[in-house]
PDB file of all heavy atoms in Angstrom:
ATOM      1  N   LYS A 104      -3.359  49.903 -31.082  1.00 98.00           N
ATOM      2  CA  LYS A 104      -3.364  50.924 -31.994  1.00 98.00           C
ATOM      3  C   LYS A 104      -2.129  50.938 -32.755  1.00 98.00           C
ATOM      4  O   LYS A 104      -1.116  50.473 -32.272  1.00 98.00           O
ATOM      5  CB  LYS A 104      -3.496  52.350 -31.237  1.00 98.00           C
ATOM      6  CG  LYS A 104      -4.620  52.359 -30.372  1.00 98.00           C
ATOM      7  CD  LYS A 104      -5.899  52.938 -30.995  1.00 98.00           C
ATOM      8  CE  LYS A 104      -7.001  52.972 -30.085  1.00 98.00           C
ATOM      9  NZ  LYS A 104      -7.539  54.200 -29.956  1.00 98.00           N
ATOM     10  N   PHE A 105      -2.133  51.447 -33.999  1.00 97.00           N
ATOM     11  CA  PHE A 105      -0.965  51.640 -34.769  1.00 97.00           C
ATOM     12  C   PHE A 105      -0.993  52.685 -35.798  1.00 97.00           C
ATOM     13  O   PHE A 105      -2.039  53.352 -36.027  1.00 97.00           O
ATOM     14  CB  PHE A 105      -0.745  50.271 -35.563  1.00 97.00           C
ATOM     15  CG  PHE A 105      -1.631  49.969 -36.758  1.00 97.00           C
ATOM     16  CD1 PHE A 105      -1.240  50.298 -38.024  1.00 97.00           C
ATOM     17  CD2 PHE A 105      -2.937  49.500 -36.484  1.00 97.00           C
ATOM     18  CE1 PHE A 105      -2.231  50.056 -39.122  1.00 97.00           C
ATOM     19  CE2 PHE A 105      -3.797  49.183 -37.564  1.00 97.00           C
ATOM     20  CZ  PHE A 105      -3.449  49.476 -38.783  1.00 97.00           C
ATOM     21  N   ARG A 106       0.283  53.178 -36.111  1.00 98.00           N
ATOM     22  CA  ARG A 106       0.544  54.261 -37.011  1.00 98.00           C
ATOM     23  C   ARG A 106       0.858  53.700 -38.370  1.00 98.00           C
ATOM     24  O   ARG A 106       1.925  53.045 -38.581  1.00 98.00           O
ATOM     25  CB  ARG A 106       1.527  55.177 -36.577  1.00 98.00           C
ATOM     26  CG  ARG A 106       1.198  55.755 -35.178  1.00 98.00           C
ATOM     27  CD  ARG A 106       2.313  56.639 -34.617  1.00 98.00           C
ATOM     28  NE  ARG A 106       1.920  57.249 -33.345  1.00 98.00           N
ATOM     29  CZ  ARG A 106       2.124  56.750 -32.117  1.00 98.00           C
ATOM     30  NH1 ARG A 106       2.716  55.620 -31.961  1.00 98.00           N
ATOM     31  NH2 ARG A 106       1.744  57.512 -31.104  1.00 98.00           N
ATOM     32  N   PRO A 107      -0.039  53.611 -39.374  1.00 98.00           N
ATOM     33  CA  PRO A 107       0.044  52.908 -40.558  1.00 98.00           C
ATOM     34  C   PRO A 107       1.467  53.062 -41.358  1.00 98.00           C
ATOM     35  O   PRO A 107       2.183  52.111 -41.651  1.00 98.00           O
ATOM     36  CB  PRO A 107      -1.036  53.278 -41.552  1.00 98.00           C
ATOM     37  CG  PRO A 107      -2.138  53.674 -40.519  1.00 98.00           C
ATOM     38  CD  PRO A 107      -1.401  54.338 -39.385  1.00 98.00           C
ATOM     39  N   LYS A 108       1.881  54.276 -41.519  1.00 98.00           N
ATOM     40  CA  LYS A 108       3.103  54.540 -42.320  1.00 98.00           C
ATOM     41  C   LYS A 108       4.324  53.982 -41.491  1.00 98.00           C
ATOM     42  O   LYS A 108       5.198  53.342 -42.055  1.00 98.00           O
ATOM     43  CB  LYS A 108       3.201  56.078 -42.667  1.00 98.00           C
ATOM     44  CG  LYS A 108       4.550  56.450 -43.183  1.00 98.00           C
ATOM     45  CD  LYS A 108       4.640  56.173 -44.695  1.00 98.00           C
ATOM     46  CE  LYS A 108       5.881  56.859 -45.212  1.00 98.00           C
ATOM     47  NZ  LYS A 108       7.124  55.994 -45.343  1.00 98.00           N
ATOM     48  N   ALA A 109       4.339  54.373 -40.246  1.00 98.00           N
ATOM     49  CA  ALA A 109       5.527  54.064 -39.391  1.00 98.00           C
ATOM     50  C   ALA A 109       5.561  52.516 -39.257  1.00 98.00           C
ATOM     51  O   ALA A 109       6.689  51.886 -39.344  1.00 98.00           O
ATOM     52  CB  ALA A 109       5.551  54.671 -38.067  1.00 98.00           C
ATOM     53  N   GLN A 110       4.481  51.922 -39.041  1.00 98.00           N
ATOM     54  CA  GLN A 110       4.397  50.444 -38.898  1.00 98.00           C
ATOM     55  C   GLN A 110       4.720  49.689 -40.182  1.00 98.00           C
ATOM     56  O   GLN A 110       5.439  48.744 -40.167  1.00 98.00           O
ATOM     57  CB  GLN A 110       2.934  50.018 -38.382  1.00 98.00           C
ATOM     58  CG  GLN A 110       2.909  48.796 -37.634  1.00 98.00           C
ATOM     59  CD  GLN A 110       2.715  47.545 -38.580  1.00 98.00           C
ATOM     60  OE1 GLN A 110       2.117  47.686 -39.541  1.00 98.00           O
ATOM     61  NE2 GLN A 110       3.376  46.449 -38.187  1.00 98.00           N
ATOM     62  N   ALA A 111       4.414  50.113 -41.337  1.00 98.00           N
ATOM     63  CA  ALA A 111       4.720  49.623 -42.591  1.00 98.00           C
ATOM     64  C   ALA A 111       6.255  49.669 -42.729  1.00 98.00           C
ATOM     65  O   ALA A 111       6.825  48.786 -43.289  1.00 98.00           O
ATOM     66  CB  ALA A 111       3.943  50.228 -43.827  1.00 98.00           C
ATOM     67  N   ASP A 112       6.809  50.831 -42.542  1.00 98.00           N
ATOM     68  CA  ASP A 112       8.206  51.148 -42.637  1.00 98.00           C
ATOM     69  C   ASP A 112       9.068  50.137 -41.765  1.00 98.00           C
ATOM     70  O   ASP A 112      10.125  49.441 -42.287  1.00 98.00           O
ATOM     71  CB  ASP A 112       8.651  52.476 -42.295  1.00 98.00           C
ATOM     72  CG  ASP A 112       8.159  53.549 -43.289  1.00 98.00           C
ATOM     73  OD1 ASP A 112       7.712  53.159 -44.369  1.00 98.00           O
ATOM     74  OD2 ASP A 112       8.096  54.826 -42.886  1.00 98.00           O
ATOM     75  N   ILE A 113       8.642  49.953 -40.382  1.00 98.00           N
ATOM     76  CA  ILE A 113       9.524  49.038 -39.612  1.00 98.00           C
ATOM     77  C   ILE A 113       9.277  47.686 -39.884  1.00 98.00           C
ATOM     78  O   ILE A 113      10.213  46.822 -39.766  1.00 98.00           O
ATOM     79  CB  ILE A 113       9.356  49.404 -38.081  1.00 98.00           C
ATOM     80  CG1 ILE A 113       7.947  48.960 -37.598  1.00 98.00           C
ATOM     81  CG2 ILE A 113       9.636  50.838 -37.766  1.00 98.00           C
ATOM     82  CD1 ILE A 113       7.812  49.003 -36.090  1.00 98.00           C
ATOM     83  N   THR A 114       8.162  47.319 -40.586  1.00 98.00           N
ATOM     84  CA  THR A 114       7.879  45.836 -41.028  1.00 98.00           C
ATOM     85  C   THR A 114       8.832  45.537 -42.126  1.00 98.00           C
ATOM     86  O   THR A 114       9.417  44.498 -42.256  1.00 98.00           O
ATOM     87  CB  THR A 114       6.321  45.674 -41.299  1.00 98.00           C
ATOM     88  OG1 THR A 114       5.552  46.067 -40.163  1.00 98.00           O
ATOM     89  CG2 THR A 114       6.172  44.205 -41.765  1.00 98.00           C
ATOM     90  N   LEU A 115       8.922  46.419 -43.069  1.00 98.00           N
ATOM     91  CA  LEU A 115       9.874  46.276 -44.180  1.00 98.00           C
ATOM     92  C   LEU A 115      11.293  46.042 -43.638  1.00 98.00           C
ATOM     93  O   LEU A 115      11.888  45.131 -44.096  1.00 98.00           O
ATOM     94  CB  LEU A 115       9.884  47.640 -45.123  1.00 98.00           C
ATOM     95  CG  LEU A 115      10.642  47.461 -46.332  1.00 98.00           C
ATOM     96  CD1 LEU A 115      10.139  46.386 -47.263  1.00 98.00           C
ATOM     97  CD2 LEU A 115      10.601  48.900 -47.070  1.00 98.00           C
ATOM     98  N   PHE A 116      11.793  46.909 -42.713  1.00 98.00           N
ATOM     99  CA  PHE A 116      13.043  46.730 -42.206  1.00 98.00           C
ATOM    100  C   PHE A 116      13.084  45.372 -41.526  1.00 98.00           C
ATOM    101  O   PHE A 116      14.100  44.592 -41.632  1.00 98.00           O
ATOM    102  CB  PHE A 116      13.396  47.732 -41.083  1.00 98.00           C
ATOM    103  CG  PHE A 116      14.727  47.379 -40.333  1.00 98.00           C
ATOM    104  CD1 PHE A 116      15.900  47.751 -40.987  1.00 98.00           C
ATOM    105  CD2 PHE A 116      14.664  46.880 -39.250  1.00 98.00           C
ATOM    106  CE1 PHE A 116      17.050  47.396 -40.340  1.00 98.00           C
ATOM    107  CE2 PHE A 116      15.849  46.461 -38.483  1.00 98.00           C
ATOM    108  CZ  PHE A 116      17.019  46.776 -39.173  1.00 98.00           C
ATOM    109  N   ALA A 117      12.102  44.825 -40.681  1.00 98.00           N
ATOM    110  CA  ALA A 117      12.171  43.634 -39.875  1.00 98.00           C
ATOM    111  C   ALA A 117      12.182  42.408 -40.846  1.00 98.00           C
ATOM    112  O   ALA A 117      12.944  41.388 -40.489  1.00 98.00           O
ATOM    113  CB  ALA A 117      10.910  43.609 -39.054  1.00 98.00           C
ATOM    114  N   ASN A 118      11.550  42.493 -41.938  1.00 98.00           N
ATOM    115  CA  ASN A 118      11.577  41.424 -42.856  1.00 98.00           C
ATOM    116  C   ASN A 118      12.998  41.148 -43.338  1.00 98.00           C
ATOM    117  O   ASN A 118      13.501  40.025 -43.433  1.00 98.00           O
ATOM    118  CB  ASN A 118      10.746  41.631 -44.036  1.00 98.00           C
ATOM    119  CG  ASN A 118       9.294  41.264 -43.811  1.00 98.00           C
ATOM    120  OD1 ASN A 118       8.970  40.298 -43.150  1.00 98.00           O
ATOM    121  ND2 ASN A 118       8.340  42.085 -44.139  1.00 98.00           N
ATOM    122  N   THR A 119      13.717  42.220 -43.692  1.00 98.00           N
ATOM    123  CA  THR A 119      15.147  42.180 -44.142  1.00 98.00           C
ATOM    124  C   THR A 119      16.076  41.816 -42.862  1.00 98.00           C
ATOM    125  O   THR A 119      16.912  40.908 -43.076  1.00 98.00           O
ATOM    126  CB  THR A 119      15.622  43.503 -44.537  1.00 98.00           C
ATOM    127  OG1 THR A 119      14.802  43.894 -45.741  1.00 98.00           O
ATOM    128  CG2 THR A 119      17.057  43.523 -45.051  1.00 98.00           C
ATOM    129  N   TRP A 120      15.777  42.284 -41.686  1.00 98.00           N
ATOM    130  CA  TRP A 120      16.520  41.920 -40.559  1.00 98.00           C
ATOM    131  C   TRP A 120      16.492  40.390 -40.187  1.00 98.00           C
ATOM    132  O   TRP A 120      17.432  39.726 -39.872  1.00 98.00           O
ATOM    133  CB  TRP A 120      16.188  42.856 -39.430  1.00 98.00           C
ATOM    134  CG  TRP A 120      17.108  42.824 -38.200  1.00 98.00           C
ATOM    135  CD1 TRP A 120      18.472  42.594 -38.196  1.00 98.00           C
ATOM    136  CD2 TRP A 120      16.695  42.973 -36.926  1.00 98.00           C
ATOM    137  NE1 TRP A 120      18.929  42.651 -37.067  1.00 98.00           N
ATOM    138  CE2 TRP A 120      17.915  42.783 -36.199  1.00 98.00           C
ATOM    139  CE3 TRP A 120      15.622  43.191 -36.233  1.00 98.00           C
ATOM    140  CZ2 TRP A 120      17.907  43.003 -34.667  1.00 98.00           C
ATOM    141  CZ3 TRP A 120      15.512  43.305 -34.851  1.00 98.00           C
ATOM    142  CH2 TRP A 120      16.699  43.104 -34.061  1.00 98.00           C
ATOM    143  N   MET A 121      15.218  39.909 -40.373  1.00 98.00           N
ATOM    144  CA  MET A 121      15.038  38.474 -40.006  1.00 98.00           C
ATOM    145  C   MET A 121      15.852  37.597 -40.863  1.00 98.00           C
ATOM    146  O   MET A 121      16.482  36.687 -40.559  1.00 98.00           O
ATOM    147  CB  MET A 121      13.558  38.066 -39.996  1.00 98.00           C
ATOM    148  CG  MET A 121      12.660  38.642 -38.910  1.00 98.00           C
ATOM    149  SD  MET A 121      13.130  38.090 -37.268  1.00 98.00           S
ATOM    150  CE  MET A 121      13.720  39.709 -36.612  1.00 98.00           C
TER     151      MET A 121
END
Side-chain angles (χ1 to χ4, degrees):
K104 305 276 177 117
F105 70 100
R106 298 175 176 96
K108 171 82 171 91
Q110 204 274 323
D112 289 346
I113 70 169
T114 300
L115 184 64
F116 172 82
N118 280 317
T119 301
W120 192 34
M121 291 299 114

